[in-house]
Amino acid sequence: MVQCSDLEVTAASDSCSVSLPLQRTKLIIDTDPGVDDAIALLMVFQLPEFEVIGLTTIFGNVSTEDATRNALHLCEVAGFPDIPVAEGSPEPLKAVKRDRSFASKVKRIVILGGSFFASGNINPAAEANIYGDPEAADIVFTCGAEIVVVGLNVTTQVMLSDQDLCELRDSGGRYGRYIYNISQFYKDWHVKSDGVHGIYLHDPTCFAALYKPQLFEFKKGAVRVETQGICTGHTLMDLGLKNWNSNNPWTGVKPVSVGWTVDAAAVINLVKEVLKKP
């Protein structure tokens, strides 16, 4: 991610008015929309602090082809039909191996994925995004880029209730009714899958970690991904609590920032505040 200064705001005093540049963060968002992906994308589109310079699509919630169609639809809904959408691979891909300089070309990678010292959601060991391509995930975690990762241990603490969804529907916000409508299937799925009444805000929580990191606590550590066996896709972090007697697969790996705790109420309020905007 890189910064640009192409939006101006005005700072006024009693004696003068001065135009100052507002720094916009450029984002490339890799997505597989997905209801919570859609909510996160619509939040980004609402905020002038961010400029989406492109979307890339991948399989996950749906096939890559369907993810591309959904992403194009969301750009239309948001009023940004000209944002480039690049369709990704329909199967696991070791993309970072193709460009070893990748890590130096981005400011930061913010990842929704993994489950740190908590259960997975595809099986007891693994979270779905990492499980989909564990080899590529391990390459990314060890590539040396500045990485922030937010896993299920954090995102499952943040949920929109039925009341929250009704509040958005009736708020007059630009996307409130749209989000309410697309969330009904997602809400029913949560009841069947997790026995909860509401929807987990996985992707919006990950975006909040970029937008308002002060709402989170992070811990630094090297992260590796299991790529074989019954724990394939498992993310395991070295917390740095022990001086190991010999080298191991975590030795020499650049630490990443792992979401540890979250002010769930504050993130929910943030999501609602942004989505209530006209």
Side-chain angles (χ1 to χ4, degrees), residues 47-66:
L47 294 166
E49 297 95 327
F50 296 94
E51 178 187 1
V52 179
I53 61 174
L55 303 179
T56 60
T57 60
I58 191 60
F59 65 93
N61 289 313
V62 293
S63 68
T64 306
E65 182 180 357
D66 287 342

Side-chain angles (χ1 to χ4, degrees), residues 209-236:
L210 169 66
Y211 181 38
K212 298 289 184 182
Q214 65 270 26
L215 301 181
F216 298 77
E217 177 192 3
F218 298 91
K219 288 187 182 291
K220 283 272 195 177
V223 171
R224 297 302 305 266
V225 179
E226 180 58 77
T227 59
Q228 57 187 342
I230 65 170
C231 289
T232 295
H234 182 63
T235 47
L236 191 56

Side-chain angles (χ1 to χ4, degrees), residues 252-270:
V253 174
K254 181 177 179 178
V256 305
S257 295
V258 177
W260 207 251
T261 64
V262 60
D263 185 340
V267 171
I268 291 168
N269 287 336
L270 173 67

Side-chain angles (χ1 to χ4, degrees), residues 114-128:
S115 186
F116 294 89
F117 305 98
S119 180
N121 63 352
I122 198 75
N123 61 42
E127 180 272 337

Side-chain angles (χ1 to χ4, degrees), residues 35-221:
V35 175
D36 60 320
D37 304 65
I39 294 172
L41 287 170
L42 294 176
M43 287 179 66
V44 176
F45 287 135
Q46 283 284 74
L47 294 166
E49 297 95 327
F50 296 94
E51 178 187 1
V52 179
I53 61 174
L55 303 179
T56 60
T57 60
I58 191 60
F59 65 93
N61 289 313
V62 293
S63 68
T64 306
E65 182 180 357
D66 287 342
T68 303
R69 183 176 65 248
N70 292 349
L72 289 166
H73 167 71
L74 286 166
C75 289
E76 292 279 353
V77 168
F80 296 93
D82 297 328
I83 288 178
V85 177
E87 184 167 295
S89 172
E91 57 189 22
L93 180 70
K94 318 303 180 291
V96 181
K97 276 188 173 178
R98 299 186 177 185
D99 184 1
R100 287 297 185 182
S101 65
F102 169 79
S104 65
K105 294 178 179 178
V106 295
K107 179 179 179 181
R108 186 185 307 119
I109 302 172
V110 183
I111 298 171
L112 169 67
S115 186
F116 294 89
F117 305 98
S119 180
N121 63 352
I122 198 75
N123 61 42
E127 180 272 337
N129 287 346
I130 304 300
Y131 184 81
D133 196 346
E135 292 87 0
D138 191 60
I139 291 169
V140 171
F141 281 125
T142 60
C143 72
E146 290 294 327
I147 292 176
V148 175
V149 56
V150 180
L152 292 175
N153 53 300
V154 167
T155 63
T156 51
Q157 299 181 51
V158 186
M159 176 183 289
L160 282 184
S161 66
D162 288 347
Q163 181 179 344
D164 293 323
L165 288 168
C166 290
E167 185 179 334
L168 284 174
R169 178 195 62 194
D170 300 333
S171 67
R174 184 174 185 182
Y175 308 123
R177 186 166 292 277
Y178 176 85
I179 289 170
Y180 174 85
N181 289 337
I182 66 172
S183 295
Q184 298 311 299
F185 164 81
Y186 195 41
K187 185 176 66 174
D188 293 342
W189 180 84
H190 275 79
V191 174
K192 295 176 183 177
S193 175
D194 299 287
V196 297
H197 294 271
I199 61 172
Y200 288 133
L201 294 176
H202 300 296
D203 288 275
T205 302
C206 185
F207 170 61
L210 169 66
Y211 181 38
K212 298 289 184 182
Q214 65 270 26
L215 301 181
F216 298 77
E217 177 192 3
F218 298 91
K219 288 187 182 291
K220 283 272 195 177

